[in-house]
Amino acid sequence: MFLLRAGIAVSLVSTTLAFVNQTTCNGRTYTYEELAGYGTVPSNARDEFGDTLNFGSALALDRSQWKKLSNGSYTGVLWGLPDRGWNTQGTLNFQPRVHKFDILFTPKPEATVENPSAKNLIFTYKETIRFYGPDGTPCTGLDGDTTGHLSYPGFPDLPAASYTGDGFGGPGPGGKRIPVDSEGIVLNDDGSFWISDEYGPYVYRFDAFGRMTTAIRPPNAIIPMRNGTESFSADSPAYYEGDDAEPVIPSDGPTGRNNNHGFEGLTVSGDGKNLYILLQAATNQEGGLTSQTERYTRLLKYDITIPSKPRYAREFVVPLPLYVDPTAKPSKNPKVAAQSELFHIQNGQFFMLARDGGFGHGQDVSLSNYRHIDIFDVNSATDIKGSTYDCTNCSVASEAGVLKSGITPAAYCSFIDMNLNSQLNRFGAHNGGAQDADLLNEKWESIGIVPVDGLIGDDDEWFVFSISDNDFITQDGYMNGGAFRYADESGFNLENQALVFKIKLPDHSRPFNRD
């Protein structure tokens, strides 16, 4: 056992005690008890519209459907969010969507490395909801235009994506749609849901049928700029353009979110009244242009008591963790582990999934050095909301990633190391080693929690679910209602992978209302 101290965090890691790790963050103790489950969905699975099925960019567990059975198993409904469609070779006119699955989870606490359990988390596909703009036009996974926008009554100006033909390289009338690169999801009691996006970055509310009803535009400091004007392109050309794609100049704008570093994190308070949104890493003017300087990112709080009129309430700086990349030169280390998901726990504390990049199944190097679900606490952090830090050229840190004096960031505490083979091997999964189907994928981007007691979590024990984003990588892929067939040039088939961790929250935690 060894002791780690970092600010207000104390972490105990043990192979002999009845837990994997224990962390105290601002006086509140969290315990990672064990990896409890592992499951997969094949890379060539397809949804009801005939398109390849991916669902790892975010997840939401319907608490009303979570049940513990008499035999110790659990059933529930999981919403799984894909991002912008297959895009490793260019973006497509994929219609963004969310999938629903029935899940069956059977804990196997007796599993060991020597006698591992078979996969014990089973997914059964249910249905898909596709996303539409306010006027009923489908949204798209294509990159946003470098200039221009779409306008709708009662909405802020929204990003626009123009395309020719059918947007897949085939004939068609062309058009202009709202680009949505979905990265976070929050469910509402009335069947509607919020989606956070990387392109804008914006946050959108859709009704139960997938039609956009509300949009949140963030402060100007986060809006991407090029050549003196708003520019929502992430320099992600369309697949059908090939080498003829018009260059985006400059590729990276001087201010606002970096390309493909938008609102990865989205969560809601237990009473459903406050939405929290976390940028993947620093804005460009605050160090976002390099992996060594993008550490200080922004957390936004919106009051959604009236869902149609979200009110910008508070803003904080969150420091992202650092890690050493063994494949990089010493001068290129340490690097920042950008965040991929957010979950509100209680009383100003949050889970955050932060990870390295370029390691895992389908990558040149299979061993990941940093994949964590950690904790941060904003109780003593500076509220930076206001004109001093929110204007277009305003910043909380220098371009070199040095935080400005007078700003106290959130406290950060290490918690769940997702990469531990001492746990993964108990279910046949592994980090590092052979490039096989049970090697963890590179991208893990989701967090959802449900109570172990199957009721309200009175004993403070919870299951934490996380799913990987496989980037739609398969050799048997379909888009455009099955009409567009593809085989990823990597040659890999990456399954959709899911892990379940068993944890104990601090005493008397209330991550959700109990009525």
Side-chain angles (χ1 to χ4, degrees):
M1 182 172 67
F2 60 91
L3 187 68
L4 299 173
R5 296 186 182 273
I8 60 171
V10 177
S11 181
L12 297 173
V13 181
S14 173
T15 57
T16 58
L17 301 180
F19 57 80
V20 181
N21 184 45
Q22 194 170 74
T23 296
T24 299
C25 194
N26 201 12
R28 296 174 64 79
T29 299
Y30 295 79
T31 304
Y32 168 23
E33 296 182 350
E34 64 178 357
L35 181 65
Y38 173 54
T40 61
V41 171
S43 65
N44 63 350
R46 296 165 71 179
D47 66 22
E48 64 183 283
F49 300 105
D51 293 338
T52 295
L53 199 155
N54 162 294
F55 59 101
S57 286
L59 72 85
L61 290 155
D62 185 340
R63 297 194 307 278
S64 69
Q65 299 299 309
W66 180 248
K67 301 289 187 293
K68 184 175 183 179
L69 307 180
S70 59
N71 65 358
S73 295
Y74 298 82
T75 59
V77 174
L78 182 146
W79 296 49
L81 188 71
D83 53 16
R84 56 184 173 177
W86 179 61
N87 65 93
T88 62
Q89 294 162 228
T91 56
L92 296 166
N93 194 18
F94 171 81
Q95 186 172 357
R97 62 197 68 188
V98 64
H99 307 295
K100 296 182 188 179
F101 299 84
D102 286 324
I103 55 173
L104 173 64
F105 171 52
T106 304
K108 297 291 183 180
E110 70 279 7
T112 64
V113 173
E114 296 74 23
N115 187 23
S117 167
K119 296 170 186 175
N120 61 336
L121 175 61
I122 308 300
F123 292 86
T124 302
Y125 173 74
K126 284 173 65 71
E127 62 177 319
T128 296
I129 301 172
R130 296 186 295 188
F131 302 164
Y132 300 84
D135 62 352
T137 300
C139 298
T140 183
L142 289 166
D143 189 21
D145 297 340
T146 53
T147 60
H149 58 264
L150 289 168
S151 298
Y152 302 92
F155 284 79
D157 289 340
L158 302 182
S162 302
Y163 64 95
T164 60
D166 64 356
F168 290 88
K176 193 183 292 282
R177 297 179 175 182
I178 301 169
V180 178
D181 186 0
S182 306
E183 297 293 351
I185 184 169
V186 162
L187 305 183
N188 300 316
D189 290 340
D190 64 357
S192 66
F193 48 92
W194 297 91
I195 297 292
S196 64
D197 153 73
E198 277 205 307
Y199 278 143
Y202 277 47
V203 177
Y204 303 108
R205 182 170 176 256
F206 295 90
D207 66 20
F209 304 99
R211 188 160 181 153
M212 187 182 297
T213 60
T214 308
I216 295 175
R217 174 190 166 100
N220 287 338
I222 296 174
I223 297 295
M225 301 287 289
R226 282 187 184 89
N227 305 313
T229 188
E230 294 176 3
S231 180
F232 294 106
S233 170
D235 195 10
S236 300
Y239 172 84
Y240 66 82
E241 293 179 303
D243 294 335
D244 296 327
E246 194 74 26
V248 176
I249 302 174
S251 175
D252 300 300
T255 63
R257 65 102 180 103
N258 194 17
N259 293 340
N260 302 310
H261 274 61
F263 284 146
E264 282 275 351
L266 182 69
T267 189
V268 69
S269 57
D271 59 8
K273 294 181 179 179
N274 294 288
L275 204 62
Y276 295 91
I277 311 160
L278 186 61
L279 200 62
Q280 184 169 15
T283 62
N284 286 352
Q285 71 269 27
E286 295 165 337
L289 290 173
T290 79
S291 60
Q292 289 183 274
T293 60
E294 60 181 355
R295 187 176 191 192
Y296 294 103
T297 191
R298 294 177 181 233
L299 174 73
L300 308 176
K301 176 182 178 180
Y302 283 82
D303 182 336
I304 54 169
T305 304
I306 303 175
S308 60
K309 297 180 179 180
R311 180 180 64 84
Y312 178 34
R314 302 185 77 183
E315 184 181 18
F316 305 98
V317 173
V318 177
L320 299 172
L322 303 174
Y323 72 97
V324 174
D325 177 356
T327 69
K329 299 176 181 178
S331 62
K332 298 297 183 181
N333 275 307
K335 292 184 176 180
V336 174
Q339 70 84 20
S340 292
E341 188 55 292
L342 178 70
F343 189 89
H344 179 262
I345 307 165
Q346 188 185 15
N347 299 331
Q349 295 196 339
F350 300 78
F351 286 142
M352 185 179 82
L353 198 163
R355 59 176 178 82
D356 54 17
F359 307 98
H361 193 196
Q363 302 297 308
D364 291 339
V365 179
S366 64
L367 182 69
S368 165
N369 289 276
Y370 201 99
R371 285 191 196 106
H372 276 215
I373 296 175
D374 292 331
I375 305 159
F376 68 84
D377 183 304
V378 299
N379 282 293
S380 298
T382 304
D383 181 0
I384 62 167
K385 173 181 176 287
S387 58
T388 301
Y389 299 109
D390 282 344
C391 71
T392 297
N393 295 309
C394 293
S395 63
V396 300
S398 69
E399 291 182 3
V402 178
L403 188 65
K404 291 187 174 180
S405 61
I407 298 176
T408 300
Y412 197 90
C413 310
S414 181
F415 185 36
I416 297 174
D417 184 347
M418 302 173 70
N419 283 338
L420 295 178
N421 278 318
S422 59
Q423 292 297 307
L424 295 171
N425 293 172
R426 295 173 51 238
F427 293 90
H430 60 100
N431 172 42
Q435 287 279 353
D436 58 37
D438 292 314
L439 170 65
L440 292 192
N441 291 339
E442 174 200 12
K443 298 180 179 180
W444 289 79
E445 301 190 355
S446 52
I447 302 173
I449 78 171
V450 281
V452 172
D453 65 11
L455 300 170
I456 57 176
D458 242 356
D459 57 4
D460 297 312
E461 289 197 322
W462 296 78
F463 291 121
V464 177
F465 284 64
S466 187
I467 301 174
S468 68
D469 172 13
N470 70 351
D471 278 338
F472 295 84
I473 292 176
T474 179
Q475 301 309 298
D476 184 25
Y478 295 85
M479 293 278 136
N480 196 23
F484 177 89
R485 188 167 186 178
Y486 70 90
D488 192 85
E489 65 183 1
S490 68
F492 282 98
N493 292 293
L494 302 187
E495 294 190 338
N496 300 275
Q497 300 171 330
L499 295 172
V500 184
F501 305 90
K502 186 182 179 185
I503 68 165
K504 186 175 178 64
L505 291 178
D507 291 345
H508 311 301
S509 290
R510 300 288 186 273
F512 306 113
N513 277 5
R514 297 193 172 191
D515 52 16

